[in-house]
Each structure stands twice: as structure tokens, then as C-alpha cells.
């Protein structure tokens, strides 16, 4: 006996769509919503994506079937792109989409000004992975938060206490890095993941230790579809499938699996086999959700994974959604009397349509219209989204009416219903003029700041206007440094996850010690530092890249910000606003922030690693791995080094030294060594400040 599960407030099944074919596959397979990108500002720029006409077509098709459409504008956006961004927001509004998914605070700010009533969803690119991060976005007015894939069941349960919709990835590719914190592709080839142009270098061989041809940055695909009922019970609003760059057949298979699990409580063996064969990397993992990270999560696409996805499989899947889905119930009444015009009235429960034919009914001379045949003809809705739940036929005996008239009335009534169902919103659009930023009030200066991974450093660093040390620095050491004349702040880790409450408590402790400055690389960190009435300094992890971002930061109460190192010097000088801003001028830049350490791909434990592991690429370059007990940072193989003469004329207020693996900070004689002298014994990079990103 099979038990069918019926639950109220069913979790939404949200499907990816990189093309109209994928939209159709998603809808006909049972998706409740789809997300897709316009031609610009999409975190999957290699997908087909949609121009204005294609977007209108997709929205119309979806809305007719009661399926919602969310448009992704989830990339960082530069000032010189704001006019195009404005048009992208207006295109979405004119197409009548149901929400925008945004990464960038500046994008959210502009979208609110242009279309105040449109819902905003915070993209997973915002790197929100904790209760306070979700709370911060809720208080900012976001209707939904797409949380990081790395969150465990326990962490999601806590976040679900906030009265905002949560969207959770239940199936698809897993990036090694926390979304929004990956600079690997950008630094290695100028193709920015934050711009939707990631070249996926993480899928290439990277080895740990003496291993050859390892895949230390490649995880199996995530699949927590079997836990959809749990997610629904904890209050998660949406079960999201990754894959806007994948085939329509993949979309269909994933949607059907999610729908089976949600509605029936299980996935059939046939569906599970199709899902595995259509795309996987040697199977799936639920490691983040269950909290079982480690070696078993790693995997890469092998020959068997590729050959299983053959045309025979694709053809089988296509057959399952080849016909239009007639899933909208309607009720109707047909009335015809001799000497009068016939009428057809239909309703979907919300919209009411009445069609009157110009034809005048006649008395039949030979064969009268049969009521059964009349009903059969009117119910021929097979190529539309509708089916008649009930149809009342009110006709007189001996009445003559051509079947062509019935067909025409049915087509007209359904076409009118299509038009009404397609238009869900009546957005009011404000005409906001995009002007060049005012750079006249930008505060300028040459203050020096240093970010340390240790509290042991030479007296030379007293020259810094602010020194950030780890938040867990010993209390006595903190007091000693401050007594010695150092202006000390603490860095809140970019990766919080299960340690958020512990970190918040520690922040309160250091505040009591007299530490009043906090370096914050994520929204939760900003939120907790503000709650302690500390001076909040935004780090590069906030991905602030445009004037609208800086205006948001100032309004939200940040003291100053460290600009994203994906900006060029030219773009930095064009930024407006009055908040202090700075750049990193020295340091081994963090290319990734990971929850599952790359060293675990070779089953290396933390005890064995001792925070000294390195990762080697195909060219022999070595990337240090540094763990803070919560997350691991993959550092670049060479340090960033910008000579003072190259940045001293920038429109900035300070510059930062990011010290991580350097073993000489206790012996530095002068801070000028980092700004004026080519002291580095190894090769260095100027990063992206000159070459920029795509």
C-alpha cells in the first residue's frame, strides 16, 4: 500500500531555466516557480539567458500555469554599468516578473527606488549563512533570503525562526567556495565568479601534499531532495534546484524528483536512477546538511558519469514533458437559444470571461445540435493550460449551431483568460535619473591599517592607524597591546556558521575590554558589531564596488569600507559618496573561503595538518591553506604588492596590509618596507587593480 502525503503550505519547487526550452520543461514537470537571468547581470552569464521579448514570453507562459518567475540580477555591478542596470530592472518590471534576486546592495538600493513594490530576494551570492545574517536582511526589507549551501540542518532550523522566506538549494553543483567569496577565477584569469563569468578552475586538478592529479577543489553535486519534508516542516519556503547552464532534460528530472519527494514522501527508483544518470559527479552528497563534511564529499565527473547521460536517456525524459500541461481547472456555462447570440462564460475562480458570438442561433431544419457533442467540442482544451472541471450546457431543442462557432468561442474565451492570468502585477515605475557620481566629497588620506592572523608583531606596526587581530586573541594580550599604544580592532571571521553565537558572545567580551573597532566581512558580522555599538569597518568580503554600495554602507552605519579588490584604480577614482574607503595593497589574497577543507580530499585531519597544508596546481604553484577553526581560506600562490607611488594618488582614505603567512612580522623594522621597497624575495602580483575583471 502506498501512502500519499498531503501537507498544507507545500514547499515551493524552484527550477533553473537557462532557456525557454528549460522553462517549458520545468513547468510541464511540475515546478512552482522558475528563476532565470536576463542577458546582463546574471551569475550564469554563459547560459542563454533572456532578452526582453523572450522574458515576456517566459513570464506569460509561467503565469498562465500559476508558476512564478524570479529574475537574477545577482552580480556585482560597477558605476559605469548603472544605466544598463536600470534598464534591466525596468525590463523585469515591464515583463511582470514576481521578484528580483540580487547580490549587490547597490543593485537592491536602485531597484527599490525604481520599482518600490517589487519583491527582492537576497542571492546566495550575499554569503548569508547564519541566523543574524538572515535577520539583518529581513530588517532591511528583503522578502526572501537564499542561504548558503553550506548550512547544516541545525543552522537552517535556527535561521527559519526569522519571519522571512528562506530558499534552500536541494540539488545541483556545489562550489568549493562559499558563494560570493570566490575570487579564484578572477585572479587566475580575470573571469570573475562575482560577475557570472567563472571559468571553473576548481574542477581542474589540484593536489594536496605529494598526491598527483588530485581534485582538492571539486565536490560531488549536492542533493538533499530526500530531506525536502524536513525543510518543509521547519518552514523553508522554497526548494531550489541549481543548473541554469544545464539541459532542459536535467531540469525536468530534478523537478520530478523534488515533486515526488514532496507530494509522495519518497522518490521512485526509476526517477532516482534518471536523476543520477542525467548529471552527477560520481554520485551526490548531503554532507553540509547532515554536518558530515570530509573526504566523502569530494568527487569529479568521470567517464561513467558522462556516458550515462546519452541520447536514449534524454529522449525518455523529453517524452515525459512533450505535451502541453493542462493543469488549470476552469468552470463554464454555455447558453444558446433560437434567435439569440450564444454565450460562453468561463472562470478559473479569480477571473471571469464572457464571450458572445455574432452568430444568431437558428431552428434546425435537419440535424439539431446535440448537447453531448456541444460539451465534447467545448472541452477540447488539450493544447492549452486548461481543463473543464465542470461545464453546464443550456441549449434549446431543435437548435442549429455550427461546430466552427463553438470552436471559435472556446478559443476566444481561453485566449482572454490567458491575457488576464499572464498579468499579475501592476508595478508603479519611478523614473530615476542615473547621473555620474559626485566625487568632490570623497575623503582622502594615506592612513595605514594592518590585518594580522597573530597578535605577535613588531613595534613598527604602531605606525598603523588601526591593527586588526583575531577575535579570539587572549584578553591579556589585547590589554597589553592597547596599553602599549596600539590602536587595536578585532576581525570577525567571514565564515560564521555554527559558531555565530560563540563569536557574538566573544565580541561582547572584547567590547568590555575596551576594543571598539571590528572588521566585518559579512552582513551578520556587521549586524552583531552594530548591536555592540562598535565602530564597524567593512572588509573586502562585502563586495562593495559601486557608489550605490557606498551610500548603503554609510546609511547602514559603517565607519568605513575596504573596497573589493576586483575594482580597477580607474573605477575606484570614479566612486562617489562621502564614506571613507580603502584598498588592500599588500597580502596573499584569499581566493576561496571553504567549509570543507581541501586537505580533507586526501583524508588529512586537522591534527595532522596543523594549519600548514598547501595545495599545488598543474604548474607546480603552491596555494597556502589557512584555517581559523571554522573555515579554510585558500590563499593566492603569490602576494599582492602595490608600490606606494601607484596608489598614493587614489581617491581613497587608507590602505590595508593583509598579513597571513608572513613569518617576519615580529622583525619588521619599518612599515615602509611594505609600501616603498621591493622587499619581497618572491614574485608578486598587482592583482586586478590594473587589468580588471570580465
Amino acid at each position: 500500500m502506498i501512502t500519499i502525503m498531503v501537507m498544507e503550505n507545500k514547499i515551493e519547487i524552484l527550477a533553473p531555466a537557462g532557456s525557454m526550452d528549460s522553462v517549458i520543461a520545468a513547468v510541464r514537470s511540475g515546478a512552482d516557480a522558475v528563476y532565470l537571468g536576463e542577458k546582463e547581470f546574471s551569475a550564469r552569464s554563459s547560459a542563454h539567458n533572456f532578452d526582453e521579448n523572450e522574458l515576456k514570453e517566459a513570464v506569460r507562459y509561467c503565469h498562465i500555469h500559476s508558476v512564478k518567475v524570479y529574475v537574477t540580477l545577482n552580480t556585482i555591478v560597477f558605476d559605469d554599468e548603472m544605466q544598463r542596470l536600470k534598464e534591466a530592472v525596468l525590463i523585469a518590471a515591464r515583463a511582470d516578473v514576481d521578484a528580483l534576486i540580487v547580490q549587490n546592495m547597490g543593485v537592491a538600493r536602485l531597484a527599490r527606488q525604481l520599482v518600490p513594490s517589487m519583491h527582492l530576494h537576497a542571492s546566495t551570492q550575499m554569503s548569508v549563512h547564519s541566523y543574524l545574517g538572515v535577520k539583518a536582511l529581513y530588517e532591511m526589507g528583503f522578502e526572501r533570503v537564499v542561504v548558503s549551501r553550506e548550512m547544516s540542518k541545525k543552522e537552517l532550523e535556527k535561521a527559519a525562526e526569522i519571519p522571512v522566506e528562506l530558499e534552500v538549494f536541494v540539488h545541483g553543483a556545489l562550489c568549493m567556495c562559499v558563494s560570493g567569496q570566490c575570487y579564484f577565477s578572477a585572479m587566475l584569469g580575470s573571469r570573475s565568479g562575482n560577475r557570472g563569468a567563472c571559468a571553473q578552475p576548481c574542477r581542474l586538478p589540484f593536489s594536496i601534499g605529494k598526491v598527483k592529479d588530485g581534485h582538492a577543489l571539486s565536490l560531488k553535486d549536492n542533493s538533499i531532495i530526500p530531506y525536502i519534508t524536513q525543510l518543509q516542516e521547519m518552514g523553508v519556503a522554497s526548494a531550489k534546484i541549481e543548473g541554469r547552464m544545464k539541459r532542459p532534460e536535467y531540469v525536468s528530472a530534478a523537478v520530478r524528483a523534488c515533486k515526488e519527494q514532496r507530494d509522495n514522501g519518497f522518490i521512485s527508483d526509476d526517477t532516482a536512477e534518471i536523476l543520477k544518470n542525467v548529471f552527477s559527479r560520481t554520485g551526490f552528497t548531503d554532507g553540509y546538511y547532515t554536518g558530515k563534511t570530509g573526504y566523502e564529499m569530494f568527487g569529479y565527473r568521470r567517464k561513467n558519469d558522462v556516458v550515462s547521460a546519452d541520447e536514449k536517456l534524454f529522449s525518455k525524459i523529453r517524452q515525459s514533458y512533450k505535451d502541453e500541461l493542462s493543469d488549470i481547472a476552469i468552470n463554464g456555462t454555455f447558453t444558446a437559444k433560437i434567435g439569440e447570440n450564444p454565450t460562453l462564460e468561463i472562470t478559473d475562480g479569480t477571473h471571469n470571461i464572457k464571450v458572445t458570438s455574432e452568430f444568431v442561433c437558428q431552428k434546425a431544419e435537419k440535424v439539431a445540435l446535440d448537447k453531448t457533442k456541444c460539451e465534447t467540442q467545448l472541452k477540447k482544451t488539450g493544447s492549452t493550460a486548461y481543463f473543464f472541471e465542470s461545464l453546464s450546457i443550456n441549449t434549446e431543442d431543435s437548435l442549429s449551431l455550427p461546430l466552427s462557432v463553438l470552436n471559435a468561442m472556446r478559443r476566444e474565451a481561453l485566449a482572454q483568460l490567458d491575457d488576464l492570468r499572464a498579468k499579475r502585477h501592476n508595478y508603479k515605475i519611478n523614473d530615476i535619473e542615473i547621473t555620474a557620481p559626485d566625487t568632490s566629497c570623497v575623503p582622502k588620506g594615506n592612513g595605514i591599517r594592518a590585518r594580522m592572523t597573530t597578535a605577535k608583531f613588531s613595534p613598527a606596526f604602531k605606525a598603523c592607524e588601526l591593527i586588526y587581530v583575531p577575535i579570539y586573541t587572549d584578553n591579556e594580550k589585547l590589554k597589553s597591546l592597547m596599553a602599549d599604544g596600539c590602536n587595536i580592532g578585532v576581525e570577525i571571521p567571514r565564515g560564521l556558521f555554527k559558531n555565530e553565537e560563540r563569536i557574538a558572545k566573544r565580541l561582547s567580551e572584547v567590547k568590555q575590554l575596551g576594543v571598539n573597532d571590528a572588521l566585518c566581512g559579512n552582513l551578520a558580522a556587521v549586524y552583531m558589531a552594530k548591536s555592540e555599538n562598535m565602530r564597524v569597518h567593512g572588509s573586502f568580503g562585502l563586495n562593495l564596488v559601486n557608489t550605490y554600495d557606498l551610500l548603503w554602507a554609510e546609511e547602514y552605519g559603517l565607519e568605513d569600507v575596504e573596497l573589493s579588490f576586483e575594482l580597477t584604480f580607474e573605477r575606484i577614482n570614479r566612486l562617489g559618496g562621502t564614506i571613507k574607503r580603502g584598498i588592500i595593497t599588500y597580502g596573499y589574497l584569499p581566493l576561496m573561503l571553504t567549509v570543507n577543507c581541501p586537505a580533507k580530499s586526501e583524508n588529512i585531519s586537522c591534527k595532522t595538518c596543523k594549519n600548514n597544508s598547501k595545495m599545488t596546481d598543474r604548474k607546480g604553484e603552491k596555494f597556502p591553506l589557512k584555517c581559523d577553526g571554522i573555515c579554510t581560506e585558500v590563499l593566492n600562490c603569490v602576494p599582492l604588492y602595490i608600490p606606494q607611488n601607484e596608489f598614493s594618488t587614489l581617491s581613497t582614505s587608507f590602505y590595508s596590509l593583509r598579513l597571513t603567512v608572513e613569518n617576519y612580522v615580529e622583525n619588521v623594522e619599518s612599515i615602509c618596507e611594505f609600501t616603498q621597497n621591493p622587499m619581497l624575495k618572491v614574485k608578486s602580483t598587482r592583482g586586478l587593480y590594473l587589468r580588471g575583471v570580465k
Side-chain angles (χ1 to χ4, degrees), residues 166-364:
L166 288 189
E167 186 173 294
V168 174
F169 280 94
V170 297
H171 190 82
L174 271 182
C175 293
M176 185 69 183
C177 183
V178 175
S179 294
Q181 299 301 308
C182 186
Y183 308 94
F184 214 93
S185 178
M187 286 298 296
L188 269 60
S190 293
R191 291 180 57 180
S192 170
N194 284 319
R195 300 273 290 167
C198 180
Q200 294 191 317
C202 50
R203 300 300 180 186
L204 296 173
F206 285 91
S207 302
I208 301 294
K210 298 180 180 180
V211 174
K212 298 291 185 181
D213 298 325
H215 285 80
L217 297 181
S218 185
L219 298 176
K220 295 176 181 177
D221 278 16
N222 173 52
S223 192
I224 58 171
I225 295 176
Y227 302 101
I228 280 180
T229 304
Q230 287 184 4
L231 295 172
Q232 183 170 254
E233 289 172 346
M234 72 175 69
V236 171
S238 182
K240 185 173 193 173
I241 301 163
E242 183 277 338
R244 278 190 288 143
M245 293 175 63
K246 293 191 175 73
R247 303 173 60 119
E249 296 89 345
Y250 163 88
V251 174
S252 174
V255 168
R256 288 185 185 279
C258 290
K259 187 173 174 60
E260 283 186 16
Q261 180 64 45
R262 181 192 66 183
D263 297 348
N264 303 338
F266 66 93
I267 306 171
S268 69
D269 291 342
D270 183 54
T271 299
E273 187 66 18
I274 289 173
L275 185 63
K276 179 181 177 181
N277 289 337
V278 75
F279 192 94
S280 80
R281 291 182 170 88
T282 320
F284 304 121
T285 179
D286 60 7
Y288 284 137
Y289 183 79
T290 59
K292 298 176 182 177
T293 59
Y295 173 77
E296 294 298 327
M297 286 187 66
F298 290 85
Y300 59 96
R301 198 147 164 81
R302 304 182 186 185
K303 182 178 179 180
N304 288 343
D305 301 317
V306 176
V307 298
S308 65
D310 58 14
E311 182 53 35
K312 182 179 179 181
L313 175 65
F314 293 142
S315 179
K316 178 181 179 180
I317 298 172
R318 284 195 297 271
Q319 282 295 113
S320 69
Y321 65 84
K322 66 181 179 63
D323 296 323
E324 178 58 291
L325 180 67
S326 297
D327 59 337
I328 307 300
I330 57 175
N331 297 292
T333 301
F334 177 74
T335 303
K337 295 181 180 180
I338 296 172
E340 296 181 7
N341 304 99
T343 62
L344 174 62
E345 298 175 77
I346 63 171
T347 180
D348 62 355
T350 301
H351 308 96
N352 301 306
I353 304 294
K354 182 176 181 179
V355 172
T356 301
S357 173
E358 294 180 355
F359 183 87
V360 178
C361 296
Q362 306 293 323
K363 183 176 178 62

Side-chain angles (χ1 to χ4, degrees), residues 291-457:
K292 298 176 182 177
T293 59
Y295 173 77
E296 294 298 327
M297 286 187 66
F298 290 85
Y300 59 96
R301 198 147 164 81
R302 304 182 186 185
K303 182 178 179 180
N304 288 343
D305 301 317
V306 176
V307 298
S308 65
D310 58 14
E311 182 53 35
K312 182 179 179 181
L313 175 65
F314 293 142
S315 179
K316 178 181 179 180
I317 298 172
R318 284 195 297 271
Q319 282 295 113
S320 69
Y321 65 84
K322 66 181 179 63
D323 296 323
E324 178 58 291
L325 180 67
S326 297
D327 59 337
I328 307 300
I330 57 175
N331 297 292
T333 301
F334 177 74
T335 303
K337 295 181 180 180
I338 296 172
E340 296 181 7
N341 304 99
T343 62
L344 174 62
E345 298 175 77
I346 63 171
T347 180
D348 62 355
T350 301
H351 308 96
N352 301 306
I353 304 294
K354 182 176 181 179
V355 172
T356 301
S357 173
E358 294 180 355
F359 183 87
V360 178
C361 296
Q362 306 293 323
K363 183 176 178 62
E365 295 181 2
K366 294 182 179 179
V367 181
L369 178 65
D370 179 74
K371 287 187 178 183
T372 301
K373 190 163 188 176
C374 176
E375 181 180 5
T376 300
Q377 202 67 24
L378 289 173
K379 283 187 173 181
K380 289 183 177 180
T381 60
S383 61
T384 72
Y386 310 104
F387 69 93
F388 275 101
E389 195 170 53
S390 68
L391 178 60
S392 176
I393 306 295
N394 302 319
T395 60
E396 292 181 335
D397 294 335
S398 304
L399 178 141
S400 175
L401 186 64
L403 296 182
S404 60
V405 173
L406 292 176
N407 292 337
M409 294 177 72
R410 182 193 67 239
R411 287 194 296 267
E412 176 62 23
L414 297 183
Q416 288 187 32
L417 186 54
D418 275 352
D419 290 340
L420 291 177
R421 291 180 61 83
K423 192 70 174 176
R424 288 189 172 188
H425 311 282
N426 187 25
Y427 291 124
K428 178 186 176 183
I429 297 175
N430 297 323
D431 187 14
I432 304 297
E433 184 180 357
I434 305 296
T435 59
D438 180 6
T439 61
S440 62
C441 297
V442 174
K444 298 180 181 179
N446 285 301
I448 309 171
R449 300 185 183 184
R451 177 268 189 192
M452 305 287 191
T453 52
T454 174
K456 297 179 180 180
F457 47 83

Side-chain angles (χ1 to χ4, degrees), residues 73-247:
L73 296 177
N74 56 341
T75 66
I76 57 174
V77 181
F78 301 126
D79 273 345
D80 50 284
E81 299 171 320
M82 281 295 166
Q83 186 61 47
R84 304 206 308 274
L85 172 65
K86 172 186 173 181
E87 184 57 27
V89 173
L90 297 184
I91 286 172
R94 291 194 293 262
D96 202 49
V97 305
D98 298 282
L100 295 178
I101 305 173
V102 301
Q103 167 186 5
N104 190 272
M105 284 300 179
V107 174
R109 194 175 191 276
L110 179 60
R112 285 276 190 228
Q113 292 175 349
L114 289 168
V115 194
S117 63
M118 183 178 287
H119 283 198
L120 292 185
H121 296 178
S123 170
T124 188
Q125 289 288 116
M126 282 194 181
S127 311
V128 172
H129 53 262
S130 65
Y131 171 85
L132 289 180
V134 172
K135 187 176 182 182
L137 288 168
Y138 165 66
E139 293 181 2
M140 289 180 204
F142 283 85
E143 282 77 17
R144 179 179 291 189
V145 179
V146 189
V147 293
S148 294
R149 294 164 173 83
E150 292 83 359
M151 290 182 73
S152 67
K153 177 177 181 284
K154 186 176 181 180
E155 291 160 353
L156 288 171
E157 287 174 335
K158 178 68 174 175
E161 296 175 7
I162 306 297
V164 66
E165 292 184 355
L166 288 189
E167 186 173 294
V168 174
F169 280 94
V170 297
H171 190 82
L174 271 182
C175 293
M176 185 69 183
C177 183
V178 175
S179 294
Q181 299 301 308
C182 186
Y183 308 94
F184 214 93
S185 178
M187 286 298 296
L188 269 60
S190 293
R191 291 180 57 180
S192 170
N194 284 319
R195 300 273 290 167
C198 180
Q200 294 191 317
C202 50
R203 300 300 180 186
L204 296 173
F206 285 91
S207 302
I208 301 294
K210 298 180 180 180
V211 174
K212 298 291 185 181
D213 298 325
H215 285 80
L217 297 181
S218 185
L219 298 176
K220 295 176 181 177
D221 278 16
N222 173 52
S223 192
I224 58 171
I225 295 176
Y227 302 101
I228 280 180
T229 304
Q230 287 184 4
L231 295 172
Q232 183 170 254
E233 289 172 346
M234 72 175 69
V236 171
S238 182
K240 185 173 193 173
I241 301 163
E242 183 277 338
R244 278 190 288 143
M245 293 175 63
K246 293 191 175 73
R247 303 173 60 119

Side-chain angles (χ1 to χ4, degrees), residues 398-522:
S398 304
L399 178 141
S400 175
L401 186 64
L403 296 182
S404 60
V405 173
L406 292 176
N407 292 337
M409 294 177 72
R410 182 193 67 239
R411 287 194 296 267
E412 176 62 23
L414 297 183
Q416 288 187 32
L417 186 54
D418 275 352
D419 290 340
L420 291 177
R421 291 180 61 83
K423 192 70 174 176
R424 288 189 172 188
H425 311 282
N426 187 25
Y427 291 124
K428 178 186 176 183
I429 297 175
N430 297 323
D431 187 14
I432 304 297
E433 184 180 357
I434 305 296
T435 59
D438 180 6
T439 61
S440 62
C441 297
V442 174
K444 298 180 181 179
N446 285 301
I448 309 171
R449 300 185 183 184
R451 177 268 189 192
M452 305 287 191
T453 52
T454 174
K456 297 179 180 180
F457 47 83
S458 80
F461 286 97
K462 287 184 182 181
C464 294
E465 63 181 23
L466 194 52
I467 305 170
Y468 300 110
V469 296
I471 193 170
Y472 288 112
T473 298
D474 180 77
N475 287 353
E476 294 305 314
K477 184 62 176 178
L478 287 174
K479 289 190 284 188
S480 173
L481 288 170
M482 290 187 287
D484 200 31
C486 295
N487 191 14
I488 294 296
V490 292
E491 180 184 25
I492 302 175
R494 283 188 295 147
L496 300 173
F497 294 98
K498 62 184 178 182
N499 288 280
E500 183 182 54
E501 291 184 8
R502 178 171 168 243
I503 292 170
K505 181 180 178 181
R506 176 58 183 160
L507 192 66
S508 178
E509 291 173 357
V510 300
K511 170 70 174 177
Q512 294 299 316
L513 293 173
V515 177
N516 292 303
D517 297 272
L519 183 63
C520 305
N522 61 65

